[in-house]
Amino acid sequence: MALTIDQPIVHKQQSLLTRLFSSQTFWVVIAVILACIFLSFATDAFATSKNLYNITRNITFVAIIALGMTFVIITGGIDLSVGAVVGFGTVIVAMLINAGVPVFLAVLATLLVGVAIGMFHGFGIVRMGLPPFIITLATLTSLRGIGLLMTNGNSISINNDAFQTFSRSAFLGIPNLFWMVILVGIPAYIFLHHSRWGRYLFSVGSNAEASRLSGVNVRRTIYMAYTLSGLCAAFVGVLLASRIGIGNPTQAEGWELQAIASSVIGGTSLFGAVGSVHGPLLGAFILATINNGANLLNVNAFWQRIITGVLIIVIVYFDGLRRRGK
């Protein structure tokens, strides 16, 4: 009788351990902890409050666009334009502020531009039948060119000190920029994990046709995913403009790859239907930690890119194995 009672408990414990060890998030957390421990001993500068402050501030930009990218990847899509949207956003907000538009309205207008770009992507995919890779790649190229035409190839200095002070200040010892990650992350978590719209994203990524037959508005869901990605990228454009004090369309080059890497490292599947809000945040943190540690150890910057690329290959490979196993 004792064996009969204890056996389900043992199976339950084994099941919990199996899920834990098979969770990519678990291993990402372990990797972050090990990296921090190693760097704390390898260099005296890593564990200082100043360096940790810089890390939390620097992950803001990639973390937020990685969140937007995650919504898109969950549906089985991709958004290669986010870096260009960030750069274009810095130009829009800088031009509006310098033209005398109140900061609040300038920020709002920039966010609306990001929403419009995201809706354009949705239109191209849903109505024109273009692959996400093509339509977002075209936007990437076009926005860079439009921004260069608008600025005549020059940077625009922002003449508003209050706008720039915000990103360089802190609240409760935490950079204001990192508070923006929390500001975006909380509603994103509620939306993705506790709303029917979030469930629709996973459903479309799993099987769009089955979702349509089940009553899910697949077209609207795709519009929503790309609109949120554009909104997040435009918001990062505003934050970046505040941080560097200029508008420049060439800013954020390559950030779309960092966003994809952060999302994938955090557990989002490039095959769709798998992802979370905390995953890309952890992914952005581990990339920032690796880059920061490499700089402190005087490792060639080229190696940082190689490490990121190898991480993506390994993670996507094992993700594919796990899917085939299921």
Side-chain angles (χ1 to χ4, degrees), residues 296-325:
L296 293 176
L297 294 172
N298 295 319
V299 176
N300 192 311
F302 299 145
W303 279 106
Q304 299 175 27
R305 299 190 177 192
I306 294 172
I307 293 170
T308 301
V310 170
L311 279 175
I312 295 174
I313 292 173
V314 171
I315 289 171
V316 173
Y317 173 73
F318 281 104
D319 182 41
L321 290 179
R322 184 170 64 244
R323 289 173 62 86
R324 287 193 292 270

Side-chain angles (χ1 to χ4, degrees), residues 30 40 44 52 72 106 111 115 123 159 164 222 225 232 272 278 287:
I30 295 297
S40 296
D44 295 333
L52 295 177
V72 170
L111 297 181
V115 168
F123 177 83
N159 54 17
Q164 299 178 53
I222 291 174
C232 287
H278 61 271
L287 286 182

Side-chain angles (χ1 to χ4, degrees), residues 31-42 46:
V32 169
I33 294 173
L34 292 177
C36 290
I37 293 174
F38 169 76
L39 291 172
S40 296
F41 285 100
F46 178 79

Side-chain angles (χ1 to χ4, degrees), residues 147-159:
L148 289 169
L149 284 174
M150 292 173 62
T151 62
N152 198 26
N154 299 315
S155 298
I156 303 174
S157 297
I158 300 175
N159 54 17

Side-chain angles (χ1 to χ4, degrees), residues 98-109:
N98 287 353
V101 177
V103 171
F104 173 77
L105 293 179
V107 171
L108 180 61

Side-chain angles (χ1 to χ4, degrees), residues 63-314:
I64 293 176
I65 59 175
L67 275 177
M69 182 72 73
T70 298
F71 296 138
V72 170
I73 296 177
I74 286 173
T75 66
I78 200 75
D79 187 353
L80 298 179
S81 71
V82 290
V85 175
V86 171
F88 191 67
T90 67
V91 172
I92 297 297
V93 73
M95 294 182 71
L96 290 175
I97 289 176
N98 287 353
V101 177
V103 171
F104 173 77
L105 293 179
V107 171
L108 180 61
T110 305
L111 297 181
L112 291 176
V113 168
V115 168
I117 293 170
M119 294 185 68
F120 170 73
H121 291 154
F123 177 83
I125 296 166
V126 170
R127 297 295 183 182
M128 299 175 67
L130 296 174
F133 179 89
I134 297 300
I135 185 67
T136 58
L137 179 63
T139 304
L140 182 158
T141 305
S142 300
L143 284 181
R144 296 291 189 193
I146 294 171
L148 289 169
L149 284 174
M150 292 173 62
T151 62
N152 198 26
N154 299 315
S155 298
I156 303 174
S157 297
I158 300 175
N159 54 17
N160 187 305
D161 293 336
F163 178 70
Q164 299 178 53
T165 300
F166 170 80
S167 64
R168 301 170 186 177
S169 303
F171 178 68
L172 299 178
I174 299 174
N176 285 346
L177 286 177
F178 190 76
W179 283 111
M180 296 300 99
V181 177
I182 298 174
L183 178 67
V184 174
I186 291 176
Y189 177 83
I190 295 171
F191 166 81
L192 186 61
H193 299 291
H194 296 284
S195 77
R196 61 191 178 101
W197 300 109
R199 291 193 294 272
Y200 290 167
L201 292 178
F202 288 105
S203 177
V204 170
S206 178
N207 191 317
E209 181 60 20
S211 300
R212 186 186 66 81
L213 294 175
S214 300
V216 175
N217 191 324
V218 174
R219 291 183 172 184
R220 183 183 299 170
T221 303
I222 291 174
Y223 268 108
M224 179 174 58
Y226 285 89
T227 299
L228 290 173
S229 180
L231 177 62
C232 287
F235 184 50
V236 171
V238 172
L239 297 178
L240 181 61
S242 173
R243 179 74 182 92
I244 63 179
I246 62 172
N248 190 318
T250 63
Q251 288 293 325
E253 286 191 354
W255 283 18
E256 59 278 350
L257 302 181
Q258 293 187 45
I260 294 171
S262 297
S263 186
V264 170
I265 290 171
T268 307
S269 173
L270 287 174
F271 300 98
V274 176
S276 65
V277 168
H278 61 271
L281 302 184
L282 284 173
F285 186 81
I286 194 169
L287 286 182
T289 302
I290 291 173
N291 292 337
N292 179 265
N295 291 331
L296 293 176
L297 294 172
N298 295 319
V299 176
N300 192 311
F302 299 145
W303 279 106
Q304 299 175 27
R305 299 190 177 192
I306 294 172
I307 293 170
T308 301
V310 170
L311 279 175
I312 295 174
I313 292 173
V314 171

Side-chain angles (χ1 to χ4, degrees), residues 18-33:
T18 301
R19 288 201 302 268
L20 180 64
F21 289 126
S22 64
S23 169
Q24 188 167 315
T25 300
F26 171 78
W27 292 110
V28 171
V29 171
I30 295 297
V32 169
I33 294 173

